[in-house]
Amino acid sequence: MDYHSTRGHAPHVSFEDAVLTGLASDGGLYVPVTLPRFNAQELEALSALPYAELAYRILQPFCEGTLEDATLSSLVQESYGSFRHAAIAPLVQIGSNDWILELFHGPTLAFKDFALQFLGRLMSHLLQKRGQKVVVLGATSGDTGSAAIAGCHGLPGMEIVILFPKGRVSEVQRRQMTTYTDANVHPVAVEGTFDDCQQIVKTLFVDASFKEKHPLVAVNSINWARIAAQIVYYFYAGLRLGALHRPVAFTVPTGNFGDIYAGYLASQMGLPVADLVIATNRNDILARCLETGMYDMREVTPSLSPSMDIQISSNFERLLFDLYHQDSASIHGLMESLRQNRRFTLSPAAHTALKARFSAGCADDAATLAAIASTSRESGYLLDPHTAVGVHVAKNITRRNAYGSGQRKPEQPENNPTPMVTLATAHPAKFPDAVKQAAGVHPALPAHLADLFERKEKMASLPNDPEAVKAFIEGL
Ligand SMILES: *Cc1c(COP(=O)(O)O)cnc(C)c1O
Protein backbone atom coordinates (compact mmCIF):
# COMPACT_ATOMS: atom_id res chain seq x y z
CA MET A 1 0.00 0.00 0.00
CA ASP A 2 1.32 3.45 -0.95
CA TYR A 3 0.82 6.62 1.08
CA HIS A 4 0.61 10.22 -0.11
CA SER A 5 0.69 13.57 1.65
CA THR A 6 -2.38 15.75 2.26
CA ARG A 7 -0.39 18.74 0.96
CA GLY A 8 0.55 17.09 -2.35
CA HIS A 9 4.22 18.07 -2.55
CA ALA A 10 5.95 15.01 -1.09
CA PRO A 11 6.73 11.76 -2.91
CA HIS A 12 4.56 8.68 -2.33
CA VAL A 13 6.02 6.40 0.33
CA SER A 14 5.65 2.82 1.58
CA PHE A 15 3.98 1.93 4.89
CA GLU A 16 7.44 1.51 6.40
CA ASP A 17 8.53 5.04 5.47
CA ALA A 18 5.20 6.54 6.51
CA VAL A 19 5.63 4.95 9.96
CA LEU A 20 9.27 5.92 10.44
CA THR A 21 9.01 9.51 9.15
CA GLY A 22 5.66 10.49 10.69
CA LEU A 23 5.21 13.92 9.08
CA ALA A 24 5.60 14.24 5.27
CA SER A 25 8.40 16.49 3.97
CA ASP A 26 5.88 19.11 2.72
CA GLY A 27 4.41 19.44 6.24
CA GLY A 28 1.37 17.33 5.35
CA LEU A 29 0.11 14.07 6.83
CA TYR A 30 0.32 10.70 5.13
CA VAL A 31 -2.87 8.91 4.10
CA PRO A 32 -3.21 5.71 2.06
CA VAL A 33 -3.73 6.24 -1.66
CA THR A 34 -6.72 3.88 -1.55
CA LEU A 35 -8.67 2.51 1.40
CA PRO A 36 -9.40 -1.20 1.68
CA ARG A 37 -13.12 -1.99 1.68
CA PHE A 38 -14.98 -4.93 3.18
CA ASN A 39 -18.32 -6.07 1.76
CA ALA A 40 -21.19 -7.47 3.86
CA GLN A 41 -20.10 -11.05 3.37
CA GLU A 42 -16.55 -10.28 4.45
CA LEU A 43 -17.80 -8.33 7.46
CA GLU A 44 -19.98 -11.30 8.45
CA ALA A 45 -16.84 -13.43 8.43
CA LEU A 46 -15.03 -10.92 10.66
CA SER A 47 -17.83 -10.51 13.15
CA ALA A 48 -16.94 -13.28 15.58
CA LEU A 49 -13.16 -12.99 15.52
CA PRO A 50 -11.21 -12.43 18.73
CA TYR A 51 -9.67 -8.95 18.93
CA ALA A 52 -6.11 -9.72 17.83
CA GLU A 53 -7.28 -11.75 14.83
CA LEU A 54 -9.63 -8.99 13.77
CA ALA A 55 -6.76 -6.51 14.16
CA TYR A 56 -4.65 -8.64 11.87
CA ARG A 57 -7.36 -8.70 9.17
CA ILE A 58 -8.05 -4.97 9.33
CA LEU A 59 -4.37 -3.94 9.43
CA GLN A 60 -3.09 -6.37 6.82
CA PRO A 61 -3.97 -4.28 3.71
CA PHE A 62 -2.35 -1.17 5.25
CA CYS A 63 0.96 -2.96 5.90
CA GLU A 64 1.14 -4.70 2.54
CA GLY A 65 4.61 -4.51 1.01
CA THR A 66 6.29 -3.82 4.36
CA LEU A 67 5.37 -6.69 6.68
CA GLU A 68 5.14 -10.41 6.07
CA ASP A 69 1.74 -11.74 7.17
CA ALA A 70 3.32 -13.88 9.89
CA THR A 71 5.24 -10.86 11.24
CA LEU A 72 2.14 -8.70 11.40
CA SER A 73 0.28 -11.52 13.08
CA SER A 74 2.85 -11.88 15.83
CA LEU A 75 3.13 -8.10 16.28
CA VAL A 76 -0.61 -7.77 16.94
CA GLN A 77 -0.72 -10.87 19.14
CA GLU A 78 2.06 -9.42 21.30
CA SER A 79 0.58 -5.90 21.30
CA TYR A 80 -2.84 -6.95 22.53
CA GLY A 81 -1.44 -9.73 24.71
CA SER A 82 -0.41 -6.99 27.15
CA PHE A 83 -4.06 -6.04 27.83
CA ARG A 84 -5.69 -7.13 31.09
CA HIS A 85 -9.13 -8.08 29.83
CA ALA A 86 -9.85 -11.21 27.78
CA ALA A 87 -12.12 -9.18 25.45
CA ILE A 88 -9.37 -6.50 24.98
CA ALA A 89 -12.10 -3.88 24.27
CA PRO A 90 -15.20 -5.00 26.21
CA LEU A 91 -18.64 -3.40 25.72
CA VAL A 92 -20.61 -2.52 28.85
CA GLN A 93 -24.29 -1.58 28.74
CA ILE A 94 -25.23 1.55 30.71
CA GLY A 95 -28.69 2.29 29.27
CA SER A 96 -31.42 0.55 27.29
CA ASN A 97 -29.59 1.22 24.05
CA ASP A 98 -26.43 2.85 25.34
CA TRP A 99 -23.05 1.23 25.57
CA ILE A 100 -19.55 2.01 26.77
CA LEU A 101 -16.61 0.64 24.82
CA GLU A 102 -13.91 0.20 27.46
CA LEU A 103 -10.60 1.11 25.85
CA PHE A 104 -8.66 1.32 29.10
CA HIS A 105 -7.50 -2.24 29.75
CA GLY A 106 -4.00 -1.67 28.36
CA PRO A 107 -0.90 -1.10 30.51
CA THR A 108 -1.46 2.66 31.08
CA LEU A 109 -5.25 2.61 31.45
CA ALA A 110 -6.00 4.85 28.45
CA PHE A 111 -7.00 4.16 24.86
CA LYS A 112 -3.64 5.36 23.54
CA ASP A 113 -2.28 1.91 24.45
CA PHE A 114 -4.20 0.45 21.48
CA ALA A 115 -2.04 2.46 19.12
CA LEU A 116 1.24 2.65 21.02
CA GLN A 117 1.57 -1.00 22.04
CA PHE A 118 1.45 -1.70 18.31
CA LEU A 119 3.54 1.27 17.11
CA GLY A 120 6.40 0.60 19.54
CA ARG A 121 6.76 -3.03 18.47
CA LEU A 122 6.30 -2.14 14.82
CA MET A 123 9.03 0.52 14.92
CA SER A 124 11.41 -1.74 16.79
CA HIS A 125 10.85 -4.45 14.18
CA LEU A 126 11.47 -2.07 11.25
CA LEU A 127 14.59 -0.57 12.88
CA GLN A 128 16.10 -3.99 13.58
CA LYS A 129 15.44 -4.94 9.96
CA ARG A 130 17.30 -1.81 8.84
CA GLY A 131 20.04 -2.26 11.43
CA GLN A 132 19.31 1.23 12.80
CA LYS A 133 19.18 2.67 16.28
CA VAL A 134 17.06 5.72 17.07
CA VAL A 135 15.96 7.92 19.94
CA VAL A 136 12.19 8.10 20.28
CA LEU A 137 11.64 11.65 21.51
CA GLY A 138 8.37 13.15 22.71
CA ALA A 139 6.78 15.68 25.02
CA THR A 140 3.76 14.83 27.11
CA SER A 141 1.19 16.47 29.32
CA GLY A 142 0.53 13.01 30.80
CA ASP A 143 -1.20 10.27 28.83
CA THR A 144 0.77 10.04 25.61
CA GLY A 145 4.17 9.84 27.29
CA SER A 146 3.24 6.99 29.56
CA ALA A 147 1.59 5.07 26.72
CA ALA A 148 4.67 5.64 24.51
CA ILE A 149 6.99 4.39 27.27
CA ALA A 150 4.75 1.37 27.85
CA GLY A 151 4.89 0.68 24.11
CA CYS A 152 8.69 0.97 23.74
CA HIS A 153 10.23 -0.19 27.02
CA GLY A 154 12.76 -2.98 26.72
CA LEU A 155 12.58 -3.08 22.91
CA PRO A 156 15.79 -3.28 20.85
CA GLY A 157 16.76 -0.48 18.45
CA MET A 158 15.45 2.43 20.51
CA GLU A 159 16.05 4.66 23.49
CA ILE A 160 12.90 6.48 24.58
CA VAL A 161 13.15 10.02 25.97
CA ILE A 162 9.93 11.66 27.16
CA LEU A 163 9.88 15.24 28.43
CA PHE A 164 7.17 16.23 30.89
CA PRO A 165 6.56 19.47 32.79
CA LYS A 166 7.92 19.06 36.33
CA GLY A 167 5.14 19.10 38.93
CA ARG A 168 2.43 19.50 36.31
CA VAL A 169 1.39 15.91 35.59
CA SER A 170 -0.70 13.85 38.00
CA GLU A 171 1.10 11.47 40.33
CA VAL A 172 -0.42 8.43 38.59
CA GLN A 173 0.74 9.75 35.22
CA ARG A 174 4.25 10.52 36.50
CA ARG A 175 4.66 7.14 38.15
CA GLN A 176 3.48 5.43 34.98
CA MET A 177 6.54 6.97 33.31
CA THR A 178 9.12 6.77 36.08
CA THR A 179 8.70 3.27 37.47
CA TYR A 180 10.05 1.23 34.54
CA THR A 181 13.36 -0.52 35.20
CA ASP A 182 14.34 -0.99 31.53
CA ALA A 183 17.63 0.64 30.53
CA ASN A 184 16.13 2.25 27.39
CA VAL A 185 13.48 4.28 29.28
CA HIS A 186 14.34 7.93 30.07
CA PRO A 187 11.60 10.11 31.54
CA VAL A 188 12.78 13.72 31.94
CA ALA A 189 11.17 16.29 34.22
CA VAL A 190 11.68 19.73 32.64
CA GLU A 191 11.54 22.95 34.65
CA GLY A 192 8.74 24.45 32.57
CA THR A 193 5.31 23.96 31.06
CA PHE A 194 4.06 21.38 28.56
CA ASP A 195 4.47 24.00 25.82
CA ASP A 196 8.13 24.45 26.83
CA CYS A 197 8.63 20.68 26.54
CA GLN A 198 7.00 20.66 23.11
CA GLN A 199 9.15 23.58 22.01
CA ILE A 200 12.33 21.73 23.01
CA VAL A 201 11.20 18.67 21.05
CA LYS A 202 10.47 20.82 17.99
CA THR A 203 13.88 22.52 18.28
CA LEU A 204 15.66 19.16 18.30
CA PHE A 205 13.62 17.78 15.41
CA VAL A 206 14.62 20.66 13.12
CA ASP A 207 18.30 20.55 14.17
CA ALA A 208 19.72 18.70 11.16
CA SER A 209 23.29 18.38 12.45
CA PHE A 210 22.12 16.96 15.78
CA LYS A 211 19.74 14.54 14.06
CA GLU A 212 22.57 13.42 11.79
CA LYS A 213 24.45 12.06 14.80
CA HIS A 214 21.38 11.07 16.83
CA PRO A 215 18.49 9.94 14.61
CA LEU A 216 15.19 10.96 16.21
CA VAL A 217 11.72 9.59 15.64
CA ALA A 218 8.38 10.81 16.95
CA VAL A 219 5.44 8.78 18.18
CA ASN A 220 2.89 11.59 18.11
CA SER A 221 -0.73 11.20 17.12
CA ILE A 222 -0.18 11.99 13.46
CA ASN A 223 1.68 8.71 12.85
CA TRP A 224 -0.41 6.70 10.40
CA ALA A 225 0.15 3.40 12.24
CA ARG A 226 -1.54 4.88 15.31
CA ILE A 227 -4.62 5.78 13.28
CA ALA A 228 -4.71 2.38 11.59
CA ALA A 229 -4.58 0.50 14.91
CA GLN A 230 -7.53 2.55 16.20
CA ILE A 231 -9.79 1.56 13.29
CA VAL A 232 -9.97 -1.97 14.65
CA TYR A 233 -12.07 -1.34 17.76
CA TYR A 234 -14.82 0.36 15.77
CA PHE A 235 -15.23 -2.83 13.72
CA TYR A 236 -14.99 -4.94 16.87
CA ALA A 237 -17.73 -3.05 18.74
CA GLY A 238 -19.93 -2.37 15.70
CA LEU A 239 -19.96 -5.98 14.53
CA ARG A 240 -20.65 -7.28 18.01
CA LEU A 241 -23.69 -5.01 18.29
CA GLY A 242 -25.01 -6.28 14.95
CA ALA A 243 -24.02 -3.33 12.74
CA LEU A 244 -24.73 -5.42 9.65
CA HIS A 245 -28.42 -5.38 10.57
CA ARG A 246 -28.72 -2.00 12.30
CA PRO A 247 -26.07 0.71 11.95
CA VAL A 248 -24.37 1.71 15.19
CA ALA A 249 -23.56 5.28 16.31
CA PHE A 250 -20.36 6.23 18.12
CA THR A 251 -19.64 9.16 20.41
CA VAL A 252 -15.96 9.94 20.78
CA PRO A 253 -14.29 12.23 23.36
CA THR A 254 -12.07 14.18 21.00
CA GLY A 255 -8.86 16.22 21.15
CA ASN A 256 -6.47 15.72 18.24
CA PHE A 257 -9.21 14.08 16.14
CA GLY A 258 -7.17 10.87 15.76
CA ASP A 259 -9.60 8.57 17.50
CA ILE A 260 -12.77 9.77 15.77
CA TYR A 261 -11.01 9.96 12.41
CA ALA A 262 -10.32 6.24 12.79
CA GLY A 263 -14.10 5.77 13.22
CA TYR A 264 -14.67 7.69 10.00
CA LEU A 265 -12.21 5.39 8.25
CA ALA A 266 -14.03 2.33 9.58
CA SER A 267 -17.24 3.63 8.00
CA GLN A 268 -15.41 4.35 4.72
CA MET A 269 -14.09 0.77 4.83
CA GLY A 270 -17.60 -0.66 4.93
CA LEU A 271 -18.73 -0.74 8.57
CA PRO A 272 -22.36 0.48 8.73
CA VAL A 273 -22.15 3.52 11.03
CA ALA A 274 -25.26 5.58 11.84
CA ASP A 275 -23.43 8.60 13.20
CA LEU A 276 -20.07 9.78 14.49
CA VAL A 277 -20.46 12.24 17.32
CA ILE A 278 -17.57 14.57 18.16
CA ALA A 279 -17.62 15.22 21.92
CA THR A 280 -15.50 18.11 23.18
CA ASN A 281 -15.02 19.83 26.51
CA ARG A 282 -15.13 23.63 26.72
CA ASN A 283 -12.27 23.72 24.20
CA ASP A 284 -14.89 23.25 21.53
CA ILE A 285 -13.22 24.32 18.29
CA LEU A 286 -14.43 21.20 16.46
CA ALA A 287 -18.04 21.53 17.63
CA ARG A 288 -18.02 25.19 16.58
CA CYS A 289 -16.53 24.31 13.20
CA LEU A 290 -19.27 21.78 12.54
CA GLU A 291 -21.91 24.35 13.48
CA THR A 292 -20.53 27.39 11.65
CA GLY A 293 -18.12 26.08 9.01
CA MET A 294 -15.36 28.20 10.54
CA TYR A 295 -12.32 26.68 12.23
CA ASP A 296 -11.33 29.44 14.58
CA MET A 297 -8.57 29.05 17.18
CA ARG A 298 -8.95 30.43 20.68
CA GLU A 299 -6.83 30.12 23.81
CA VAL A 300 -6.86 26.71 25.49
CA THR A 301 -8.69 26.66 28.82
CA PRO A 302 -7.81 23.95 31.33
CA SER A 303 -10.65 21.50 32.07
CA LEU A 304 -11.36 18.34 34.05
CA SER A 305 -10.57 16.36 30.86
CA PRO A 306 -6.99 17.57 30.23
CA SER A 307 -6.21 15.18 27.36
CA MET A 308 -8.83 17.02 25.31
CA ASP A 309 -7.58 20.54 26.10
CA ILE A 310 -6.46 21.18 22.55
CA GLN A 311 -7.04 23.89 19.96
CA ILE A 312 -5.26 22.47 16.93
CA SER A 313 -6.72 19.08 16.08
CA SER A 314 -3.89 17.86 13.86
CA ASN A 315 -5.68 14.87 12.35
CA PHE A 316 -8.58 17.05 11.20
CA GLU A 317 -6.39 17.80 8.17
CA ARG A 318 -6.77 14.18 7.06
CA LEU A 319 -10.55 14.45 7.12
CA LEU A 320 -10.43 17.77 5.26
CA PHE A 321 -8.38 16.10 2.56
CA ASP A 322 -11.30 13.71 2.00
CA LEU A 323 -13.99 16.37 2.28
CA TYR A 324 -12.16 18.33 -0.45
CA HIS A 325 -11.94 15.20 -2.65
CA GLN A 326 -8.18 14.93 -2.11
CA ASP A 327 -7.49 18.37 -3.52
CA SER A 328 -4.17 19.09 -1.81
CA ALA A 329 -4.03 22.67 -3.10
CA SER A 330 -7.17 23.48 -1.09
CA ILE A 331 -5.70 21.85 2.03
CA HIS A 332 -2.51 23.82 1.56
CA GLY A 333 -4.58 27.02 1.41
CA LEU A 334 -6.59 26.19 4.54
CA MET A 335 -3.45 25.39 6.54
CA GLU A 336 -1.74 28.58 5.36
CA SER A 337 -4.77 30.56 6.50
CA LEU A 338 -4.66 28.80 9.87
CA ARG A 339 -0.97 29.66 10.26
CA GLN A 340 -1.43 33.31 9.34
CA ASN A 341 -4.89 34.17 10.69
CA ARG A 342 -5.49 31.40 13.23
CA ARG A 343 -8.63 30.43 11.31
CA PHE A 344 -10.05 29.11 8.06
CA THR A 345 -13.52 28.81 6.54
CA LEU A 346 -14.77 25.61 4.92
CA SER A 347 -16.24 25.73 1.43
CA PRO A 348 -20.03 25.27 1.51
CA ALA A 349 -19.65 21.80 -0.06
CA ALA A 350 -17.06 20.68 2.50
CA HIS A 351 -19.17 22.05 5.37
CA THR A 352 -22.21 20.14 4.10
CA ALA A 353 -20.15 16.96 3.76
CA LEU A 354 -18.82 17.39 7.32
CA LYS A 355 -22.34 17.80 8.72
CA ALA A 356 -23.59 14.79 6.77
CA ARG A 357 -21.04 12.51 8.41
CA PHE A 358 -20.58 13.93 11.89
CA SER A 359 -22.56 15.41 14.73
CA ALA A 360 -20.99 17.33 17.61
CA GLY A 361 -21.63 18.54 21.11
CA CYS A 362 -19.70 19.76 24.12
CA ALA A 363 -19.72 19.45 27.89
CA ASP A 364 -18.28 21.97 30.34
CA ASP A 365 -16.88 20.87 33.70
CA ALA A 366 -20.29 21.08 35.41
CA ALA A 367 -21.90 18.86 32.77
CA THR A 368 -18.93 16.48 33.01
CA LEU A 369 -19.34 16.08 36.77
CA ALA A 370 -23.13 15.72 36.37
CA ALA A 371 -22.64 12.90 33.85
CA ILE A 372 -20.29 11.05 36.22
CA ALA A 373 -22.81 11.46 39.06
CA SER A 374 -25.92 10.44 37.10
CA THR A 375 -24.27 7.44 35.44
CA SER A 376 -23.02 6.24 38.81
CA ARG A 377 -26.50 6.68 40.30
CA GLU A 378 -28.45 5.12 37.43
CA SER A 379 -26.14 2.27 36.43
CA GLY A 380 -23.55 1.95 39.19
CA TYR A 381 -20.87 2.61 36.59
CA LEU A 382 -17.94 4.99 37.14
CA LEU A 383 -16.88 7.21 34.24
CA ASP A 384 -13.59 9.03 33.96
CA PRO A 385 -14.02 12.74 33.08
CA HIS A 386 -13.08 12.28 29.37
CA THR A 387 -15.62 9.51 28.92
CA ALA A 388 -18.14 11.59 30.87
CA VAL A 389 -17.86 14.36 28.26
CA GLY A 390 -18.81 11.70 25.72
CA VAL A 391 -21.72 10.35 27.74
CA HIS A 392 -23.14 13.85 28.28
CA VAL A 393 -22.95 14.61 24.56
CA ALA A 394 -24.37 11.18 23.55
CA LYS A 395 -27.37 11.75 25.83
CA ASN A 396 -28.16 15.13 24.34
CA ILE A 397 -27.63 14.49 20.65
CA THR A 398 -30.52 13.72 18.31
CA ARG A 399 -29.85 10.22 17.09
CA ARG A 400 -29.67 9.52 13.41
CA ASN A 401 -30.34 6.14 11.97
CA ALA A 402 -29.20 6.61 8.41
CA TYR A 403 -25.56 7.51 8.10
CA GLY A 404 -24.71 10.21 5.63
CA SER A 405 -28.30 10.72 4.50
CA GLY A 406 -28.51 13.91 6.48
CA GLN A 407 -31.91 12.82 7.78
CA ARG A 408 -32.49 12.85 11.49
CA LYS A 409 -35.59 11.36 12.94
CA PRO A 410 -36.40 12.98 16.27
CA GLU A 411 -37.48 9.95 18.24
CA GLN A 412 -38.05 9.22 21.88
CA PRO A 413 -34.72 8.04 23.25
CA GLU A 414 -36.28 4.84 24.60
CA ASN A 415 -37.70 3.93 21.19
CA ASN A 416 -34.56 4.69 19.28
CA PRO A 417 -33.30 1.62 17.46
CA THR A 418 -29.78 2.96 16.94
CA PRO A 419 -27.33 1.67 19.55
CA MET A 420 -25.05 4.44 20.82
CA VAL A 421 -21.53 3.44 21.79
CA THR A 422 -19.50 5.97 23.78
CA LEU A 423 -15.78 5.32 23.77
CA ALA A 424 -14.29 5.16 27.27
CA THR A 425 -10.86 6.64 26.66
CA ALA A 426 -9.47 6.36 30.20
CA HIS A 427 -9.99 4.36 33.38
CA PRO A 428 -11.63 6.36 36.19
CA ALA A 429 -8.67 5.64 38.51
CA LYS A 430 -6.48 7.78 36.26
CA PHE A 431 -8.47 10.87 37.27
CA PRO A 432 -9.59 10.00 40.80
CA ASP A 433 -10.20 13.55 42.04
CA ALA A 434 -12.94 14.42 39.53
CA VAL A 435 -14.59 11.04 40.04
CA LYS A 436 -14.52 11.40 43.83
CA GLN A 437 -15.92 14.94 43.59
CA ALA A 438 -18.83 13.86 41.36
CA ALA A 439 -19.73 10.39 42.60
CA GLY A 440 -18.31 10.36 46.13
CA VAL A 441 -16.29 7.24 45.36
CA HIS A 442 -12.52 6.94 45.10
CA PRO A 443 -11.92 4.67 42.10
CA ALA A 444 -9.34 1.96 42.80
CA LEU A 445 -6.42 1.20 40.51
CA PRO A 446 -6.65 -2.21 38.80
CA ALA A 447 -4.65 -5.04 40.38
CA HIS A 448 -1.68 -4.80 37.97
CA LEU A 449 -1.06 -1.22 39.11
CA ALA A 450 -2.08 -1.59 42.74
CA ASP A 451 1.54 -1.22 43.91
CA LEU A 452 2.27 1.76 41.64
CA PHE A 453 2.76 4.06 44.62
CA GLU A 454 5.33 1.76 46.20
CA ARG A 455 7.48 1.32 43.10
CA LYS A 456 10.85 3.05 42.88
CA GLU A 457 10.97 6.06 40.57
CA LYS A 458 13.72 6.85 38.09
CA MET A 459 13.87 10.12 36.15
CA ALA A 460 16.19 12.87 35.02
CA SER A 461 15.60 16.50 35.88
CA LEU A 462 16.67 19.18 33.40
CA PRO A 463 16.37 22.93 32.96
CA ASN A 464 14.08 24.37 30.28
CA ASP A 465 16.84 24.42 27.67
CA PRO A 466 17.22 22.48 24.40
CA GLU A 467 21.01 22.34 24.88
CA ALA A 468 20.57 20.49 28.17
CA VAL A 469 18.32 17.93 26.48
CA LYS A 470 20.81 17.53 23.64
CA ALA A 471 23.61 16.89 26.12
CA PHE A 472 21.39 14.37 27.91
CA ILE A 473 20.71 12.47 24.68
CA GLU A 474 24.42 12.57 23.75
CA GLY A 475 25.20 10.97 27.08
CA LEU A 476 22.86 7.99 26.62
C1 LIG B 1 -5.66 11.46 23.94
C2 LIG B 1 -6.95 11.34 24.68
C3 LIG B 1 -8.17 11.79 24.13
C4 LIG B 1 -8.26 12.48 22.77
O1 LIG B 1 -7.98 11.62 21.70
P1 LIG B 1 -7.66 12.20 20.26
O2 LIG B 1 -7.27 11.04 19.41
O3 LIG B 1 -6.55 13.19 20.46
O4 LIG B 1 -8.91 12.86 19.77
C5 LIG B 1 -9.32 11.59 24.87
N1 LIG B 1 -9.30 11.01 26.09
C6 LIG B 1 -8.14 10.57 26.65
C7 LIG B 1 -8.18 9.96 28.00
C8 LIG B 1 -6.93 10.72 25.97
O5 LIG B 1 -5.78 10.29 26.55
Side-chain angles (χ1 to χ4, degrees):
M1 171 89 66
D2 267 2
Y3 292 78
H4 58 166
S5 162
T6 50
R7 310 254 176 117
H9 290 291
H12 287 206
V13 296
S14 63
F15 177 70
E16 174 166 343
D17 287 332
V19 169
L20 290 177
T21 44
L23 201 66
S25 58
D26 59 359
L29 307 185
Y30 285 119
V31 288
V33 172
T34 50
L35 270 186
R37 220 185 138 81
F38 298 92
N39 63 29
Q41 223 177 355
E42 290 164 328
L43 289 176
E44 194 73 62
L46 297 179
S47 63
L49 292 180
Y51 193 91
E53 270 176 62
L54 179 68
Y56 167 76
R57 300 287 188 90
I58 302 288
L59 291 171
Q60 197 268 343
F62 292 110
C63 310
E64 208 143 41
T66 289
L67 293 179
E68 300 285 334
D69 290 352
T71 308
L72 173 63
S73 176
S74 59
L75 284 175
V76 294
Q77 293 289 348
E78 285 165 23
S79 300
Y80 300 108
S82 68
F83 280 56
R84 311 291 171 138
H85 194 295
I88 313 297
L91 280 160
V92 175
Q93 191 167 10
I94 58 160
S96 63
N97 219 357
D98 300 86
W99 308 77
I100 295 286
L101 179 61
E102 292 187 341
L103 300 176
F104 52 67
H105 294 283
T108 72
L109 311 182
F111 87 97
K112 291 187 174 71
D113 289 328
F114 276 85
L116 286 163
Q117 286 294 304
F118 177 64
L119 179 61
R121 287 173 172 84
L122 173 65
M123 280 185 165
S124 174
H125 169 80
L126 297 176
L127 291 165
Q128 277 178 278
K129 202 177 74 173
R130 293 178 166 201
Q132 286 179 353
K133 277 201 180 313
V134 301
V135 174
V136 174
L137 176 66
T140 189
S141 56
D143 282 346
T144 308
S146 52
I149 289 175
C152 297
H153 76 99
L155 294 180
M158 48 173 70
E159 301 290 329
I160 175 156
V161 176
I162 296 291
L163 313 184
F164 65 92
K166 191 172 199 167
R168 294 180 202 232
V169 300
S170 80
E171 189 168 4
V172 173
Q173 288 174 326
R174 189 190 70 236
R175 287 181 167 272
Q176 283 187 320
M177 295 189 273
T178 58
T179 53
Y180 283 89
T181 52
D182 309 85
N184 73 333
V185 173
H186 312 283
V188 178
V190 172
E191 312 267 0
T193 63
F194 170 57
D195 287 336
D196 295 330
C197 297
Q198 261 192 320
Q199 198 48 52
I200 294 176
V201 168
K202 277 189 197 151
T203 307
L204 267 60
F205 267 100
V206 297
D207 186 332
S209 68
F210 182 75
K211 268 173 56 176
E212 184 95 23
K213 276 184 281 167
H214 304 277
L216 301 176
V217 302
V219 289
N220 49 24
S221 84
I222 51 109
N223 197 297
W224 176 260
R226 283 184 62 172
I227 304 288
Q230 293 176 176
I231 298 171
V232 178
Y233 47 72
Y234 288 91
F235 278 96
Y236 186 72
L239 293 173
R240 266 169 183 68
L241 288 174
L244 284 169
H245 312 288
R246 47 161 195 183
V248 172
F250 294 93
T251 299
V252 188
T254 305
N256 255 319
F257 206 75
D259 199 1
I260 192 160
Y261 174 68
Y264 167 78
L265 292 173
S267 75
Q268 296 295 101
M269 290 166 65
L271 181 71
V273 171
D275 200 1
L276 287 165
V277 184
I278 299 165
T280 68
N281 62 29
R282 72 175 88 145
N283 299 294
D284 60 351
I285 185 165
L286 286 165
R288 282 185 284 121
C289 180
L290 189 111
E291 184 69 29
T292 65
M294 200 201 285
Y295 189 89
D296 182 12
M297 274 172 72
R298 296 183 186 161
E299 289 308 306
V300 176
T301 345
S303 77
L304 290 174
S305 42
S307 301
M308 295 155 64
D309 292 345
I310 277 169
Q311 278 301 337
I312 297 195
S313 294
S314 13
N315 281 294
F316 196 48
E317 179 170 342
R318 288 186 159 118
L319 177 72
L320 293 172
F321 187 60
D322 253 27
L323 299 183
Y324 280 84
H325 306 290
Q326 307 212 337
D327 173 20
S328 48
S330 296
I331 303 308
H332 197 85
L334 296 177
M335 293 304 142
E336 240 346 82
S337 165
L338 185 65
R339 202 173 59 80
Q340 285 173 14
N341 317 316
R342 296 169 60 84
R343 74 163 78 93
F344 59 75
T345 307
L346 295 178
S347 70
H351 188 207
T352 304
L354 176 67
K355 285 202 286 193
R357 287 165 180 77
F358 294 85
S359 303
C362 49
D364 61 14
D365 282 353
T368 304
L369 292 171
I372 297 175
S374 65
T375 306
S376 162
R377 208 167 46 235
E378 291 160 15
S379 335
Y381 188 81
L382 282 185
L383 302 171
D384 104 286
H386 301 80
T387 312
V389 167
V391 166
H392 171 86
V393 171
K395 246 190 201 163
N396 291 289
I397 207 88
T398 311
R399 291 201 192 175
R400 316 187 196 198
N401 38 30
Y403 182 62
S405 73
Q407 289 184 348
R408 291 149 186 266
K409 278 194 196 161
E411 293 181 67
Q412 293 301 311
E414 48 269 79
N415 299 337
N416 197 305
T418 304
M420 174 62 83
V421 178
T422 299
L423 274 54
T425 52
H427 190 286
K430 252 193 133 158
F431 301 93
D433 298 342
V435 177
K436 172 88 201 222
Q437 187 187 343
V441 186
H442 189 91
L445 282 168
H448 65 100
L449 287 172
D451 66 344
L452 187 66
F453 286 85
E454 279 104 66
R455 294 183 198 165
K456 218 168 119 51
E457 292 192 79
K458 171 190 103 171
M459 70 182 118
S461 203
L462 293 178
N464 175 15
D465 176 6
E467 293 305 320
V469 177
K470 280 194 209 170
F472 179 78
I473 290 175
E474 273 159 4
L476 291 181

